[in-house]
């Protein structure tokens, strides 16, 4: 059995991961209205990643004999006006998620829960990649996004993104 605090934090994180998926689908909807199919595609993949993260955590709890309690998932409420707004909000959100993952890791460390720490090593690494990807996208947009040809090229780059589901042994 897992420590109650660790279990509760992971259960809460499952909802946060599903919320992240909703948020990224909301960003995709914003870009759909703007006709930027590459940005739509990029955020659709981000949403799938978040769903998969939630499912990995769910499996981890099940594999440790723990009950999964689904929490309510709020509706995304970010006000998006400019093309860069979802990118900035995405980076802020990833930084927030990193703090949550770090909190789970810290709670597991405090009770010598090495199995959870080992599992969440992957999520810690993943969050570093997520923050870098979000920051890189902002930088590219700032460089190229204000020029129609540059925006088109960036959109095409994002359209080529391919998703590979994580294969994590839990």
């Amino acid at each position: 059995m897992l420590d109650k605090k660790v279990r509760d934090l992971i259960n809460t994180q499952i909802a946060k991961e599903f919320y992240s998926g909703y948020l990224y689908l909301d960003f995709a909807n914003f870009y759909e209205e703007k006709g930027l199919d590459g940005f739509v595609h990029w955020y659709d993949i981000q949403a799938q990643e978040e769903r998969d993260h939630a499912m990995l955590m769910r499996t981890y709890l099940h594999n440790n004999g723990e009950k999964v309690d689904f929490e309510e998932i709020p509706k995304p409420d970010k006000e998006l006006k400019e093309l860069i707004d979802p990118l900035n909000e995405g980076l802020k959100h990833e930084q927030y998620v990193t703090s949550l993952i770090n909190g789970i890791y810290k709670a597991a460390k405090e009770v010598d829960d090495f199995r959870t720490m080992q599992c969440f090593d992957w999520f810690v690494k993943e969050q570093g990649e997520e923050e870098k990807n979000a920051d890189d996208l902002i930088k590219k947009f700032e460089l190229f996004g204000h020029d129609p040809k540059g925006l088109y090229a960036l959109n095409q780059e994002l359209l080529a993104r391919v998703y590979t589901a994580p294969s994590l042994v839990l």
Side-chain angles (χ1 to χ4, degrees):
M1 285 185 59
L2 297 178
D3 176 79
K4 180 182 180 333
K5 179 179 178 182
V6 171
R7 183 196 64 222
D8 290 348
L9 286 170
I10 295 171
N11 264 308
T12 296
Q13 189 62 34
I14 290 170
K16 300 287 187 182
E17 297 292 333
F18 281 125
Y19 171 79
S20 297
Y22 279 11
L23 180 65
Y24 292 143
L25 290 173
D26 196 44
F27 293 173
N29 289 343
F30 173 81
Y31 286 120
E32 181 71 35
E33 293 171 6
K34 306 297 183 193
L36 292 168
D37 57 345
F39 285 80
V40 172
H41 177 71
W42 201 84
Y43 277 112
D44 280 346
I45 288 175
Q46 282 300 109
Q48 182 62 44
E49 278 190 9
E50 302 305 340
R51 179 208 170 269
D52 287 350
H53 294 168
M55 297 302 287
L56 286 169
M57 291 177 197
R58 176 181 166 261
T59 299
Y60 180 75
L61 288 177
H62 284 166
N63 287 351
N64 283 278
E66 297 292 344
K67 184 174 188 256
V68 175
D69 294 314
F70 290 122
E71 296 180 7
E72 186 174 327
I73 302 168
K75 179 180 176 179
D77 63 352
K78 304 296 179 197
E79 189 171 332
L80 309 173
K81 294 181 180 179
E82 303 296 324
L83 292 178
I84 198 166
D85 290 348
L87 308 181
N88 288 327
E89 291 296 334
L91 177 58
K92 284 190 241 175
H93 184 73
E94 289 300 339
Q95 291 166 337
Y96 169 66
V97 171
T98 296
S99 74
L100 297 173
I101 296 294
N102 290 345
I104 294 169
Y105 196 94
K106 181 180 178 190
K109 184 177 180 184
E110 288 171 355
V111 294
D112 293 331
D113 181 350
F114 301 110
R115 189 176 340 163
T116 298
M117 289 166 59
Q118 181 182 26
C119 175
F120 275 79
D121 280 340
W122 184 87
F123 289 103
V124 169
K125 181 178 181 273
E126 175 69 9
Q127 281 310 119
E129 292 173 10
E130 295 286 2
E131 286 187 32
K132 183 180 182 330
N133 289 341
D135 188 56
D136 287 351
L137 189 50
I138 290 169
K139 287 175 182 170
K140 287 179 182 181
F141 186 87
E142 288 173 344
L143 283 171
F144 309 115
H146 301 289
D147 171 68
K149 289 179 185 175
L151 181 59
Y152 177 80
L154 181 55
N155 187 67
Q156 292 305 111
E157 177 185 325
L158 297 179
L159 196 55
R161 183 179 183 194
V162 177
Y163 177 59
T164 305
S167 58
L168 181 62
V169 178
L170 304 173

